[in-house]
Amino acid sequence: MTSFASDNYAGVPREVLDALAAANTGHAPSYGDDDWTARADEAFRAHFGAQARPWYVTTGTAANVLALKAVCRPWESVITPATSHLNVDECGAPEHLGGLKLITVPTSDGKLMPAEVVGRLGRLGDQHAVQPRVVSVAQSTELGTVYGVDELRGLAEVAHEHGLLLHVDGARLANAAAGLDVGLGAITTQAGVDLLSFGGTKAGLLGAEAVVFLRDGLGEGFAYLRKQHAQLVSKMRFPAAQLEALLATDLWRRAAEHANAMARRLAAGVAGVEDVRLTQPVQANAVFAILPREATQRLQCDHRFYVWDEDTGEVRWMCSWDTREEEVDAFVADVRAILSAPAS
Amino acid sequence: MTSFASDNYAGVPREVLDALAAANTGHAPSYGDDDWTARADEAFRAHFGAQARPWYVTTGTAANVLALKAVCRPWESVITPATSHLNVDECGAPEHLGGLKLITVPTSDGKLMPAEVVGRLGRLGDQHAVQPRVVSVAQSTELGTVYGVDELRGLAEVAHEHGLLLHVDGARLANAAAGLDVGLGAITTQAGVDLLSFGGTKAGLLGAEAVVFLRDGLGEGFAYLRKQHAQLVSKMRFPAAQLEALLATDLWRRAAEHANAMARRLAAGVAGVEDVRLTQPVQANAVFAILPREATQRLQCDHRFYVWDEDTGEVRWMCSWDTREEEVDAFVADVRAILSAPAS
Amino acid sequence: MTSFASDNYAGVPREVLDALAAANTGHAPSYGDDDWTARADEAFRAHFGAQARPWYVTTGTAANVLALKAVCRPWESVITPATSHLNVDECGAPEHLGGLKLITVPTSDGKLMPAEVVGRLGRLGDQHAVQPRVVSVAQSTELGTVYGVDELRGLAEVAHEHGLLLHVDGARLANAAAGLDVGLGAITTQAGVDLLSFGGTKAGLLGAEAVVFLRDGLGEGFAYLRKQHAQLVSKMRFPAAQLEALLATDLWRRAAEHANAMARRLAAGVAGVEDVRLTQPVQANAVFAILPREATQRLQCDHRFYVWDEDTGEVRWMCSWDTREEEVDAFVADVRAILSAPAS
Amino acid sequence: MTSFASDNYAGVPREVLDALAAANTGHAPSYGDDDWTARADEAFRAHFGAQARPWYVTTGTAANVLALKAVCRPWESVITPATSHLNVDECGAPEHLGGLKLITVPTSDGKLMPAEVVGRLGRLGDQHAVQPRVVSVAQSTELGTVYGVDELRGLAEVAHEHGLLLHVDGARLANAAAGLDVGLGAITTQAGVDLLSFGGTKAGLLGAEAVVFLRDGLGEGFAYLRKQHAQLVSKMRFPAAQLEALLATDLWRRAAEHANAMARRLAAGVAGVEDVRLTQPVQANAVFAILPREATQRLQCDHRFYVWDEDTGEVRWMCSWDTREEEVDAFVADVRAILSAPAS
């Protein structure tokens, strides 16, 4: 059975296990006071600038919520697309764990536009209303779309103009950078992003994520916040070694480019099939499509993937660092066979 | 340099890396719906009984706080020794993340006695006071002492009699079981313990912990609580594979017995040295001692360990699964040399 | 200057001050163990049924948030109209203080319909999503509309069918009951409502609100929750005496009927004026209208009221227990004069 | 039956009801934008200095918890005597509502000394430990004792030296000032106190408390914090009018002096009775004493008061603004009669 269910169904590249084995050498200070952490920090600074300050955490939910909580006071809020993972897939963590209200904006493609930010700022200074403090967008988005560098810059400008910060949920930042063929810094620090959740797990790690403050003056006291929110790993060298393996070589880019290429191959393969409509541009490693429900059901006998929208029948096909061309081709063949479309 | 700083300075046994490599095979469903998780669950049930329900989390702080939050309403409190990790080493996580007040009890050896529990129940039903709901003790304790089975049973009885639950912080449960030469179930489920934080990391894993509900009817909705508190790992097979490696073989016992034996060897080695006073019985893998400050400072030139109490000069020497006899012997020799005590 | 700004701009009827004076007699037990509280409780039971259990709090925000928090676990959510006070005017209290996520539904008239509730239940059982537990509606709504008894019953049925509860934000419950010409119980307990925030302040008190659990089995431990959330008043006889004055006589109905009548008089007075469009039916004590911005600005020189929607120019004219006919008539005359509409 | 149970069993002086009646005049802007609030603010500034910024809340719990939450980040803690109301009588509000850990210090007389503060600062900078941010003491204390001006200054100095703030729980600040025969400012602003919970209710109001920031730069955003924590009263003129009545005249001092005098009269009356031992100096309006349990039980047939410590038999006799000399004398006579001590 092939799986296009999620990039977190994948395991890890050999390099990652090797890095763990290499780090497993005698005693090392715990809680981040070790050499692997120092080198991972250095790798982050190489990508995001000398001022960048990374903090390693264990899950994407933790990275998102702690990043936001670190820069918001209790009454401050976060403007985010209604489709954001933050809003729909964190089981209320921003609200309960972060104590933060989300101001959600409907979008067609998962991307927030500057004018929509401005439209949510009407009650600044009104004690009855939460006060927007952060604009949070995912790059790539939950719909597989990618903000261009100028689009991010536009968001950063409008945010900063009104005293807000720009946060990027980069669970799939590597895919976005690979999709745009730019570096990780180009779509974050250099575009005006203030703080980042960097995703290692979907990029190919066993499990390692980071909160990265990209500007000086942000994240004061974060060491305490991380510990208090149960995210301070004791044997820190192990997540750090994973992140070093990912970022200090070109592993992050190779893995992401491959995943993206597989998504494009899949999209190209089903293009022109009459009953398949791609609903979003394929800019990272996901393909969104609407096809007849019967076809979906038949496909799901041999292939794992999720129905994204029960109402419209939209499905998500997600590729990962280890998706093989043959898997894609077999899947495409089945799509075409089921929908009686001869191979293109 | 030898290290007796902490059992979380150690790496992991070869078996653990092997288990990760074995689990790194193609795609597997994420979030715990995989075979490794099923087998780890089975290993937990083999130790803790068929009714036991384990949930894997990433840190000991998470295990402790989520276990307690799962069974307490906002106004309910936790009775715990003043020296507990929960009270002094979680950066306020029980209070901020759990929303729970701790009722702390001074002890001389880190162990709480049933009568001290009863003494904290005087305001049941008074709306101005938090209402005790859980008794939480560490096994082994933060002072390296171990509750006997009967002592635990006594705590469970007094807790249940008053409608409270008994929680065990088992960050070093394996060491306690090895120290008593009993199984893990004997000092938990069979002794009347209701819920458990099981520690995998100090026992020899890269990083995997568990909340285990030992009785039916506890922990309803815990899947949501875990996700909401940023503790739902996506590639669950990897922590699960580690826990399986630890618990489905005798690795947990071998590792713990070794660590304990090293602590006893160290204690025996310094016994009789005039200026070294052991402050606690050595029942698990830690040795607590008071020695002259000058001696401590000289020892710390070549050996890593913590001063536990700045006021008294008490130090902690912690052994782990990988502490070697030669390290212990070299350390003992230095202690004796510095304090001019001929080898015994 | 006349004021149609808010019903909380009004003072209190003479009866309320008299009740305070009458309660100011020597010593009385604090925290609710007094005769006034017992009589206020009795008045609540007379309206809402023998099983009803009222708890007095100090603000409407407290009543709403504590009612919801009392019946929700951390991962449970509340379905509510996007326009609800809960969502837009509590400065994030449901999220930060309650720890609860709101699932908001756009409406045209502030009223939620049963089908819209069902549409938000698609992810029951999915650990990544908050789990709906309560449907919360305001009666009368923030747009001055009123649910009919059958509409409430429909909401209660759909809620109960799916294991949810129905909460009513009754900051203006008296106005709704008066508007429908029914009792307070008819639109709460008898319609299937499970829990209620009862508003005394806008009904004519200095400041007294209540959380009322309308069914057995709800609100266990609420005494602790109230105290812990800083809502346990020590000299409870004083808010209790106010609530008794309101509910044990027909004061609540007289006050609400008058406010409603003034709103109807105002609406009738501006009816037919070409440039004034009423945007909502006038079913309680509020009138919503769109008129030219210039007219609004000129009116605001002599009359206090709020622009409700900056984008559309919609305004809110709110009447209260003490609004006088002459005030309404003077205001109407000014509207007509400014818009050059001869008196009808 | 006479009552020495609590100063919150008392009603209110005539002046307070008069102030409410005077404030009940037509419409006034809500939420604090009214003349009474402006005048109450002015009265606070007259006592506490031109820089003082008061915020009115509804309960003492709210005043304490919001004051502390306003100046602490999530990982910051509060050093306070173990006997403090904050620690034992707020049902866990500091922890659950404030998210703050309390570091408690045992005392014999309810008073914290500077050296004890220093003793709790040993883990500054350690990410595993909460970081002390505030020293919180009650004035007068829960044991009826009063800090001298120099004692407060000593606490302020040690706090400031280590970057901490000094908070005073002034539920009975008026009694302390009266007891020392100084102004309210002398034991707060002028002594170096940074922030204050000012108690109106026990001083003679129906229910009105304040958080007062005594230094510039504290309490930014407090308007939002108050609203979000359900403490923004809509008809603010009514609590404001009460506070104005208390502070803009000498009502606060008259009321407190009377209560204190009654406590001294009571203490003097039982002095010399063999079986009555006063356990604390009588410096405000409370008398603490140990007497035989049988005597306590007989006294409680005709007089209301609390047993403070079940273990020792210590009782608390609390006087209030309205305690009458005859009540005290009758009570003293009963004490002497029961213990067979002839009138002195």
Side-chain angles (χ1 to χ4, degrees):
Chain A
M1 176 179 281
T2 70
S3 169
F4 299 96
S6 177
D7 30 8
N8 62 30
Y9 274 48
V12 305
R14 188 70 235 169
E15 293 94 320
V16 175
L17 290 183
D18 289 347
L20 289 177
N24 191 35
T25 167
H27 276 213
S30 49
Y31 302 118
D33 194 16
D34 63 85
D35 297 342
W36 294 267
T37 300
R39 287 199 303 270
D41 287 2
E42 183 51 42
F44 271 93
R45 286 192 294 268
H47 285 286
F48 298 104
Q51 79 304 325
R53 184 71 180 89
W55 299 89
Y56 309 131
V57 297
T58 67
T59 65
T61 304
N64 279 338
V65 174
L66 293 194
L68 297 171
K69 189 165 184 173
V71 297
C72 288
R73 290 173 295 182
W75 56 88
E76 291 178 332
S77 64
V78 177
I79 301 173
T80 192
T83 50
S84 70
H85 196 271
L86 205 57
N87 189 39
V88 299
D89 277 316
E90 312 268 34
C91 199
E95 292 84 2
H96 185 83
L97 186 59
L100 299 170
K101 190 178 186 77
L102 304 180
I103 307 297
T104 59
V105 182
T107 74
S108 60
D109 60 357
K111 289 167 63 178
L112 186 68
M113 291 298 112
E116 295 163 334
V117 172
V118 176
R120 267 68 186 181
L121 304 178
R123 296 182 70 187
L124 288 175
D126 172 354
Q127 68 178 332
H128 298 271
V130 285
Q131 300 293 298
R133 171 68 178 146
V134 185
V135 174
S136 176
V137 299
Q139 171 78 319
S140 61
T141 74
E142 294 77 6
L143 299 180
T145 52
V146 171
Y147 290 88
V149 170
D150 286 350
E151 289 177 316
L152 286 171
R153 200 166 281 140
L155 283 170
E157 274 165 20
V158 78
H160 298 163
E161 208 171 289
H162 294 88
L164 279 69
L165 301 170
L166 179 58
H167 166 257
V168 163
D169 175 354
R172 296 186 181 100
L173 191 74
N175 299 99
L180 293 169
D181 196 21
V182 299
L184 297 170
I187 50 173
T188 51
T189 311
Q190 296 158 37
V193 176
D194 298 290
L195 66 164
L196 169 71
S197 304
F198 177 79
T201 310
K202 284 171 178 157
L205 305 185
L206 288 93
E209 310 280 316
V211 172
V212 194
F213 296 102
L214 301 173
R215 304 256 168 272
D216 288 331
L218 296 176
E220 201 209 330
F222 194 79
Y224 303 105
L225 198 71
R226 178 175 63 170
K227 169 65 186 176
Q228 189 179 58
H229 287 75
Q231 289 293 328
L232 178 59
V233 165
S234 58
K235 296 181 179 176
M236 188 71 86
R237 57 172 144 166
F238 293 117
Q242 295 179 58
L243 287 160
E244 186 196 0
L246 188 71
L247 289 178
T249 70
D250 67 348
L251 176 58
W252 71 271
R253 182 179 289 280
R254 277 186 287 127
E257 276 178 354
H258 178 81
N260 291 2
M262 292 303 99
R264 288 194 305 269
R265 185 183 188 96
L266 196 162
V270 301
V273 179
E274 195 178 348
D275 278 337
V276 175
R277 181 165 66 80
L278 298 188
T279 54
Q280 299 290 347
V282 177
Q283 299 172 331
N285 59 324
V287 179
F288 285 81
I290 292 178
L291 62 168
R293 272 166 230 277
E294 301 72 33
T296 294
Q297 283 160 14
R298 287 182 57 194
L299 277 168
Q300 288 185 318
C301 297
D302 291 317
H303 308 279
R304 261 184 185 272
F305 60 87
Y306 285 107
V307 175
W308 198 250
D309 185 328
E310 292 287 352
D311 292 339
T312 61
E314 188 179 31
V315 299
R316 185 186 79 168
W317 298 322
M318 185 66 82
C319 296
S320 57
W321 69 268
D322 66 347
T323 301
R324 286 173 296 113
E325 293 192 356
E326 308 88 271
E327 288 180 290
V328 172
D329 295 345
F331 181 72
V332 165
D334 279 1
V335 170
R336 301 188 79 92
I338 284 168
L339 292 168
S340 304
S344 62
Chain B
M1 176 179 281
T2 69
S3 170
F4 299 95
S6 176
D7 31 7
N8 61 30
Y9 274 47
V12 306
R14 189 69 236 170
E15 294 94 319
V16 174
L17 289 183
D18 289 348
L20 289 177
N24 191 35
T25 168
H27 278 213
S30 49
Y31 301 119
D33 195 17
D34 63 85
D35 295 342
W36 293 267
T37 300
R39 287 199 303 269
D41 287 2
E42 183 52 40
F44 271 92
R45 287 192 293 270
H47 284 287
F48 298 104
Q51 79 303 325
R53 184 72 180 90
W55 299 89
Y56 310 132
V57 297
T58 67
T59 65
T61 303
N64 278 340
V65 174
L66 293 195
L68 296 172
K69 189 165 184 174
V71 298
C72 288
R73 290 173 295 182
W75 57 87
E76 291 178 331
S77 63
V78 177
I79 300 172
T80 192
T83 49
S84 71
H85 197 271
L86 204 57
N87 188 40
V88 298
D89 277 316
E90 313 268 35
C91 199
E95 292 82 3
H96 185 84
L97 186 59
L100 299 170
K101 191 178 184 78
L102 304 180
I103 307 297
T104 59
V105 182
T107 74
S108 60
D109 59 357
K111 290 165 63 177
L112 186 67
M113 291 298 113
E116 295 163 334
V117 172
V118 176
R120 266 67 185 182
L121 303 178
R123 296 183 69 187
L124 287 175
D126 172 354
Q127 68 179 332
H128 298 271
V130 285
Q131 300 293 298
R133 171 66 178 147
V134 185
V135 174
S136 176
V137 298
Q139 171 78 320
S140 62
T141 74
E142 294 77 6
L143 297 180
T145 51
V146 171
Y147 290 88
V149 170
D150 285 351
E151 289 176 316
L152 286 170
R153 200 165 281 140
L155 283 170
E157 273 166 20
V158 79
H160 297 161
E161 207 171 288
H162 294 88
L164 279 70
L165 301 170
L166 179 59
H167 167 257
V168 163
D169 176 353
R172 297 187 181 99
L173 191 74
N175 299 99
L180 293 169
D181 197 20
V182 298
L184 297 170
I187 50 174
T188 52
T189 311
Q190 295 158 37
V193 176
D194 298 288
L195 67 164
L196 170 70
S197 304
F198 178 79
T201 310
K202 285 170 178 158
L205 305 186
L206 287 93
E209 308 281 317
V211 172
V212 194
F213 296 101
L214 301 172
R215 304 256 169 273
D216 289 331
L218 297 176
E220 200 208 331
F222 194 79
Y224 302 106
L225 198 71
R226 179 176 62 170
K227 168 66 186 175
Q228 188 179 58
H229 287 74
Q231 289 292 328
L232 179 59
V233 165
S234 57
K235 297 182 179 176
M236 189 71 86
R237 56 172 143 167
F238 293 118
Q242 294 179 59
L243 287 160
E244 186 197 0
L246 188 71
L247 289 178
T249 70
D250 67 346
L251 176 57
W252 71 271
R253 183 179 289 279
R254 276 187 287 128
E257 276 178 353
H258 177 82
N260 291 2
M262 292 303 99
R264 288 193 304 269
R265 184 183 188 95
L266 197 162
V270 300
V273 178
E274 194 178 347
D275 279 336
V276 176
R277 182 166 64 82
L278 299 188
T279 54
Q280 299 291 346
V282 178
Q283 299 172 331
N285 58 326
V287 178
F288 285 81
I290 292 178
L291 62 168
R293 273 166 229 277
E294 300 72 31
T296 293
Q297 282 160 14
R298 288 182 57 194
L299 276 168
Q300 287 184 320
C301 297
D302 292 316
H303 308 279
R304 263 184 184 270
F305 60 87
Y306 285 106
V307 174
W308 198 249
D309 184 327
E310 292 287 353
D311 292 339
T312 62
E314 188 180 31
V315 300
R316 185 186 79 167
W317 298 322
M318 184 67 81
C319 297
S320 57
W321 69 268
D322 66 347
T323 300
R324 285 173 296 114
E325 292 192 356
E326 308 87 271
E327 289 180 288
V328 173
D329 295 346
F331 181 72
V332 165
D334 278 1
V335 170
R336 302 188 79 92
I338 283 168
L339 292 167
S340 305
S344 62
Chain C
M1 176 178 282
T2 70
S3 169
F4 299 95
S6 177
D7 30 7
N8 62 30
Y9 275 48
V12 305
R14 189 70 235 168
E15 293 94 320
V16 174
L17 290 182
D18 289 348
L20 288 177
N24 189 36
T25 167
H27 277 214
S30 49
Y31 302 118
D33 194 17
D34 64 85
D35 296 342
W36 294 267
T37 299
R39 288 199 303 269
D41 286 1
E42 183 52 41
F44 272 91
R45 286 192 294 269
H47 284 286
F48 298 103
Q51 81 302 326
R53 183 73 181 88
W55 299 88
Y56 309 132
V57 296
T58 67
T59 65
T61 303
N64 279 338
V65 174
L66 292 195
L68 296 172
K69 189 165 185 174
V71 298
C72 288
R73 290 172 295 181
W75 57 87
E76 292 179 332
S77 64
V78 177
I79 300 172
T80 192
T83 49
S84 70
H85 197 270
L86 204 57
N87 188 40
V88 299
D89 277 316
E90 312 268 33
C91 200
E95 291 84 3
H96 185 83
L97 187 59
L100 300 170
K101 190 176 186 77
L102 305 180
I103 307 296
T104 58
V105 183
T107 74
S108 60
D109 60 356
K111 288 166 64 177
L112 186 68
M113 291 297 113
E116 296 163 333
V117 172
V118 176
R120 266 69 186 180
L121 303 178
R123 296 183 70 187
L124 288 175
D126 172 354
Q127 68 179 333
H128 298 271
V130 284
Q131 301 293 299
R133 172 65 178 147
V134 185
V135 175
S136 176
V137 299
Q139 171 80 319
S140 61
T141 74
E142 293 78 6
L143 299 179
T145 52
V146 170
Y147 290 87
V149 170
D150 287 350
E151 290 177 314
L152 286 171
R153 200 166 282 140
L155 283 170
E157 275 165 19
V158 78
H160 297 162
E161 210 171 287
H162 294 88
L164 279 69
L165 300 171
L166 180 59
H167 167 256
V168 163
D169 175 354
R172 295 186 182 100
L173 191 75
N175 299 99
L180 293 169
D181 197 20
V182 299
L184 297 170
I187 50 172
T188 51
T189 311
Q190 294 158 38
V193 176
D194 298 290
L195 67 164
L196 169 71
S197 303
F198 178 79
T201 310
K202 284 169 178 159
L205 305 185
L206 288 93
E209 309 281 316
V211 172
V212 194
F213 296 101
L214 301 173
R215 304 256 169 271
D216 287 332
L218 296 177
E220 200 209 332
F222 194 80
Y224 303 107
L225 197 71
R226 178 174 63 170
K227 169 64 186 176
Q228 188 181 59
H229 287 74
Q231 289 293 329
L232 177 60
V233 164
S234 57
K235 296 181 179 176
M236 188 71 87
R237 57 172 143 167
F238 294 117
Q242 295 178 58
L243 287 160
E244 186 196 1
L246 187 72
L247 289 177
T249 70
D250 68 348
L251 177 56
W252 70 271
R253 182 179 289 282
R254 277 186 287 128
E257 277 179 351
H258 177 81
N260 292 1
M262 291 302 100
R264 288 194 304 269
R265 185 183 188 95
L266 196 163
V270 300
V273 178
E274 195 178 348
D275 279 336
V276 175
R277 182 165 65 81
L278 298 187
T279 54
Q280 298 290 347
V282 177
Q283 298 173 331
N285 58 325
V287 178
F288 285 81
I290 292 178
L291 63 168
R293 272 166 229 277
E294 302 71 32
T296 294
Q297 282 159 15
R298 287 183 56 195
L299 276 168
Q300 287 185 320
C301 297
D302 291 319
H303 308 280
R304 262 183 184 271
F305 59 89
Y306 285 107
V307 175
W308 198 249
D309 185 330
E310 291 287 351
D311 292 338
T312 62
E314 189 179 32
V315 301
R316 185 186 79 168
W317 297 322
M318 184 65 83
C319 296
S320 56
W321 70 268
D322 66 346
T323 301
R324 285 172 297 113
E325 293 193 356
E326 308 87 271
E327 288 180 289
V328 172
D329 295 346
F331 181 70
V332 165
D334 279 0
V335 171
R336 302 189 79 93
I338 284 168
L339 292 167
S340 304
S344 61
Chain D
M1 177 180 279
T2 70
S3 170
F4 299 95
S6 177
D7 30 8
N8 62 29
Y9 274 49
V12 305
R14 189 68 235 171
E15 293 94 320
V16 175
L17 290 183
D18 289 347
L20 288 177
N24 190 36
T25 169
H27 277 214
S30 48
Y31 302 118
D33 195 17
D34 62 86
D35 296 343
W36 294 266
T37 300
R39 287 200 303 269
D41 286 1
E42 183 51 41
F44 271 92
R45 287 191 293 269
H47 285 286
F48 298 104
Q51 81 302 326
R53 184 72 180 90
W55 299 89
Y56 309 131
V57 296
T58 66
T59 65
T61 303
N64 278 339
V65 174
L66 293 194
L68 296 172
K69 189 167 185 173
V71 298
C72 288
R73 290 173 295 181
W75 57 87
E76 291 179 332
S77 64
V78 177
I79 300 172
T80 192
T83 49
S84 71
H85 196 270
L86 205 57
N87 188 40
V88 299
D89 276 317
E90 313 267 34
C91 200
E95 291 84 3
H96 185 82
L97 186 59
L100 300 170
K101 189 176 186 78
L102 305 180
I103 307 296
T104 59
V105 182
T107 74
S108 60
D109 60 356
K111 289 166 63 177
L112 186 67
M113 292 298 113
E116 295 163 334
V117 172
V118 176
R120 266 68 185 182
L121 303 178
R123 295 183 70 188
L124 287 175
D126 172 354
Q127 68 179 333
H128 298 271
V130 285
Q131 300 294 299
R133 171 66 178 147
V134 185
V135 174
S136 177
V137 299
Q139 171 78 320
S140 61
T141 74
E142 294 78 6
L143 298 181
T145 52
V146 170
Y147 290 88
V149 170
D150 286 349
E151 289 177 316
L152 286 171
R153 200 166 281 141
L155 283 170
E157 275 166 19
V158 79
H160 297 163
E161 207 171 290
H162 294 88
L164 279 69
L165 301 171
L166 179 59
H167 166 257
V168 163
D169 175 353
R172 295 186 182 100
L173 190 75
N175 299 99
L180 293 169
D181 197 19
V182 298
L184 297 172
I187 49 173
T188 51
T189 311
Q190 296 158 37
V193 176
D194 299 288
L195 66 164
L196 170 70
S197 304
F198 178 78
T201 310
K202 284 170 177 158
L205 305 186
L206 289 92
E209 308 281 316
V211 172
V212 194
F213 296 102
L214 300 173
R215 304 258 168 269
D216 288 331
L218 297 177
E220 199 208 333
F222 194 79
Y224 303 106
L225 197 71
R226 178 175 64 171
K227 169 65 186 175
Q228 187 180 60
H229 287 74
Q231 289 293 327
L232 178 59
V233 165
S234 58
K235 297 182 180 176
M236 188 71 85
R237 58 173 142 167
F238 294 116
Q242 294 179 58
L243 286 160
E244 186 196 359
L246 187 71
L247 289 178
T249 71
D250 68 345
L251 177 56
W252 70 271
R253 183 178 289 281
R254 276 185 288 127
E257 276 178 352
H258 177 81
N260 292 2
M262 292 302 99
R264 288 192 304 268
R265 184 182 188 96
L266 196 162
V270 300
V273 178
E274 194 178 348
D275 279 335
V276 175
R277 182 167 65 81
L278 298 188
T279 54
Q280 298 291 346
V282 178
Q283 299 172 331
N285 58 325
V287 178
F288 285 80
I290 293 178
L291 61 168
R293 272 166 228 277
E294 301 71 33
T296 294
Q297 282 160 13
R298 287 183 57 194
L299 276 168
Q300 287 185 319
C301 297
D302 291 318
H303 308 280
R304 263 183 184 270
F305 59 87
Y306 285 107
V307 175
W308 198 250
D309 184 328
E310 292 287 351
D311 292 339
T312 62
E314 189 180 31
V315 300
R316 184 185 80 167
W317 298 321
M318 184 66 81
C319 297
S320 57
W321 70 268
D322 66 346
T323 301
R324 284 173 297 113
E325 293 192 356
E326 308 87 271
E327 288 180 287
V328 173
D329 295 346
F331 181 71
V332 165
D334 278 0
V335 171
R336 302 188 79 93
I338 283 167
L339 293 167
S340 304
S344 62

